[in-house]
Amino acid sequence: RYADVLPYMNQETLLVTDLDNTVIRPVQTIGSDQWGGHIRDIFRAAGIEENLAVDAGVAMFAAVQMKTQVSLVEETTANVLRRARAKGAQIVGLTARSLYLTERTLQQLESIHFPKTDEKSYHVAPGAISKNGIVFVGGNNKGEILKQLLKERPEYRNVRRVVFIDDKLHHAENVDVALAGSPYEV
């Protein structure tokens, strides 16, 4: 449950959350992360090169996102995020969504009352930006982008603990690898 993070929240905590299948989901199957992966697999099975299959799957996922409505994965998530912030934790969204979904993603998050965490927008790395507290990593490694944010962004100087939530194991493993040997409790 998303609420399981609350005991770990304090003024030295950065709560880093994925969006798709962690905070939000489409109200129907079409446009879900699983659907996008299935479409990519269909292209692969048809003999389409890996990079083209991924690009086509991402493009179809993005096209559906422009129209679909979303709901919370867990009804209490937005409240949990507000409670985490009330305990002093900083919150950042970290999503593999493509940069061209930035505005649509922010609209979707607003529709489910996702608490805004930062009004700033800035370039993070080639192919990665942050807007309104959501970091769009695109094809970058989430762990490496998070490591860079912790190193370069002044608002994270007091962070001693990172709580990372993602529905995909490889993203959690990437964060573990990137922050291994760092001064952060992860």
Side-chain angles (χ1 to χ4, degrees):
R1 294 176 331 129
Y2 208 94
D4 291 343
V5 303
L6 285 172
Y8 302 98
M9 299 297 110
N10 63 35
Q11 300 84 355
E12 295 181 332
T13 302
L14 177 63
L15 173 58
V16 182
T17 185
D18 175 50
L19 299 180
D20 291 300
N21 290 338
T22 304
V23 174
I24 58 173
R25 62 178 179 77
V27 296
Q28 74 285 322
T29 302
I30 294 174
S32 68
D33 198 35
Q34 297 89 337
W35 175 84
H38 178 69
I39 295 297
R40 180 196 61 230
D41 292 344
I42 289 171
F43 287 127
R44 284 179 181 154
I48 296 174
E49 289 180 37
E50 177 70 16
N51 61 334
L52 295 175
V54 169
D55 287 349
V58 168
M60 291 179 76
F61 174 83
V64 172
Q65 290 306 312
M66 296 310 244
K67 298 289 184 184
T68 194
Q69 300 300 310
V70 296
S71 63
L72 288 166
V73 172
E74 293 181 35
E75 204 172 293
T76 60
T77 301
N79 185 48
V80 169
L81 293 169
R82 285 194 262 308
R83 289 175 58 198
R85 190 169 3 170
K87 289 181 158 207
Q90 296 183 70
I91 301 169
V92 65
L94 193 65
T95 180
R97 283 186 173 208
S98 300
L99 301 184
Y100 53 85
L101 282 174
T102 301
E103 293 305 319
R104 179 61 184 147
T105 301
L106 296 175
Q107 291 168 354
Q108 289 174 323
L109 291 173
E110 189 173 305
S111 78
I112 53 96
H113 308 291
F114 185 88
K116 288 186 180 177
T117 60
D118 185 358
E119 296 296 326
K120 299 178 198 113
S121 296
Y122 50 88
H123 174 80
V124 178
I129 63 167
S130 178
K131 187 164 186 178
N132 293 355
I134 307 298
V135 179
F136 295 83
V137 303
N140 290 295
N141 177 305
K142 284 186 176 183
E144 291 301 319
I145 294 296
L146 179 56
K147 181 179 176 181
Q148 186 173 336
L149 286 171
L150 289 164
K151 178 181 173 187
E152 296 177 3
R153 299 303 304 174
E155 59 266 34
Y156 303 134
R157 280 194 195 122
N158 296 326
V159 170
R160 300 291 173 255
R161 174 186 293 149
V162 175
V163 175
F164 180 73
I165 305 170
D166 200 300
D167 64 304
K168 292 196 172 121
L169 180 60
H170 71 274
H171 290 308
E173 290 170 339
N174 287 344
V175 167
D176 285 343
V177 168
L179 298 183
S182 72
Y184 307 106
E185 175 188 0
V186 180

